[in-house]
Amino acid sequence: MDAKKGRRGALLSPQGITNGELLGVRLPRSSVGGPITPGRALVHLGDGELLTVQVPLD
């Protein structure tokens, strides 16, 4: 529950808009339920904004 307490974390493949509640954010419908993209995540740093990040393959 450290992610919930700190309100920071990454969601790798959210499948519902309520998945962001763990981090204290509301997910837009366009961010959920789509195909899983390896290396992509929605990141919340505690400021209320969601960032989409892509981790490069080495």
Side-chain angles (χ1 to χ4, degrees):
M1 288 294 160
D2 288 335
K4 188 171 186 174
K5 183 178 177 183
R7 303 273 189 210
R8 297 173 189 205
L11 298 169
L12 301 179
S13 59
Q15 297 300 305
I17 58 172
T18 59
N19 290 152
E21 289 177 5
L22 177 65
L23 303 177
V25 294
R26 290 201 57 111
L27 297 176
R29 289 191 184 272
S30 61
S31 298
V32 298
I36 297 171
T37 305
R40 186 167 288 169
L42 294 172
V43 175
H44 183 255
L45 300 175
D47 59 0
E49 297 289 324
L50 277 173
L51 301 171
T52 302
V53 297
Q54 180 76 37
V55 179
L57 182 61
D58 190 27

